[in-house]
Amino acid sequence: LSEKDSLVALIYDNNKVDICDFMGKTRFTFETTLNKLMNERLLRFFPDGNYLLAAVKDNSILVFNENGDVVSELNVHSANVNSVDISADGQFLATASSDNKVNIWKYNNSLKQMSLINTLTGHNDTVWSCEFNKTGKYIITASADSTVKIWNLYGRQINPEFQFLENRVRYNNRE
C-alpha cells in the first residue's frame, strides 16, 4: 500500500503483480518471483523521492518509476531474492536472498541510482526476511538457520544471535 500515491499492489499466484489506484484502475503490471515461504515481502513502495517501488524478480530487484518503467535493476545475489525492504527515508534498500546474504543499497545522489554499500554475511542458510527499524539505522534478518540477527548499516551485528529451537528461544547461548 502506497499512501503517498494512493496505490495498492496485488500479487497473484501466477507471479503477476498489478499496481492499482484506490479506485481499482490498473496503472501497470509486471512479474515477480514467488517463494515457498512468504510473498508479502516481495515488493515495497518508496515513501517519496525518485522511485515508486522496488520488487523481487528472480535474483534481482527491479526499481520502477511512477510510469511503471524499470529504471534500475539491482543484481548481485547468486540465488532468488526472498525479501526487500526500504528505509523510512527512502535512502536505503535491503535485499535478503537464498544465497544466505543480505545486501544493503543506498541512493547515490551523484549517480542518480542505487549503489551497493554493504553485504551482510553470517547466516548459514537461506535468509527469508529483512526489515529496517523505524529510524533506518538497523536491519533485522531472519534465516532458515533458525537465527534472527540485528545489524547496523555498516555490516556489524548488534545483538548476540537469537536462535529458535522447537518453541524455545536461545539468546546468547542461554535458553
Side-chain angles (χ1 to χ4, degrees):
L1 180 67
S2 168
E3 294 178 25
K4 172 189 79 134
D5 297 307
S6 302
L7 298 174
V8 63
L10 304 172
I11 302 173
Y12 302 102
D13 286 340
N14 65 355
N15 295 336
K16 181 181 166 191
V17 178
D18 286 337
I19 303 300
C20 303
D21 63 25
F22 284 0
M23 301 305 291
K25 181 182 176 200
T26 300
R27 297 270 295 274
F28 62 94
T29 300
F30 62 92
E31 285 192 11
T32 188
T33 305
L34 302 180
N35 64 48
K36 296 180 271 185
L37 187 62
M38 58 184 201
N39 294 312
E40 63 271 8
R41 296 194 167 277
L42 299 179
L43 178 146
R44 287 288 183 258
F45 286 98
F46 282 88
D48 56 22
N50 300 312
Y51 304 128
L52 176 66
L53 64 91
V56 170
K57 180 63 175 157
D58 301 320
N59 299 2
S60 302
I61 295 294
L62 303 178
V63 179
F64 293 85
N65 66 13
E66 293 187 10
N67 298 321
D69 301 319
V70 175
V71 294
S72 185
E73 183 172 350
L74 311 177
N75 187 2
V76 296
H77 285 290
S78 61
N80 277 0
V81 176
N82 299 310
S83 177
V84 60
D85 199 28
I86 298 169
S87 63
D89 64 3
Q91 293 296 304
F92 295 93
L93 186 142
T95 58
S97 173
S98 294
D99 65 7
N100 307 352
K101 297 175 185 170
V102 175
N103 287 319
I104 302 172
W105 307 81
K106 183 179 187 320
Y107 184 74
N108 184 319
N109 284 321
S110 62
L111 296 176
K112 302 292 186 214
Q113 67 182 23
M114 301 299 282
S115 297
L116 182 66
I117 63 164
N118 214 328
T119 299
L120 309 179
T121 58
H123 284 294
N124 297 317
D125 205 340
T126 295
V127 184
W128 287 112
S129 179
C130 61
E131 185 172 343
F132 285 95
N133 74 327
K134 289 183 182 192
T135 67
K137 293 180 181 180
Y138 302 104
I139 301 169
I140 188 168
T141 60
S143 171
D145 66 8
S146 298
T147 61
V148 173
K149 297 175 186 270
I150 301 171
W151 312 79
N152 68 16
L153 296 177
Y154 305 105
R156 189 173 136 251
Q157 188 179 337
I158 301 302
N159 69 312
E161 79 183 28
F162 294 96
Q163 188 171 22
F164 296 89
L165 307 164
E166 297 181 42
N167 299 324
R168 296 179 311 199
V169 176
R170 179 177 286 165
Y171 173 74
N172 207 15
N173 292 324
R174 289 180 286 185
E175 287 187 44

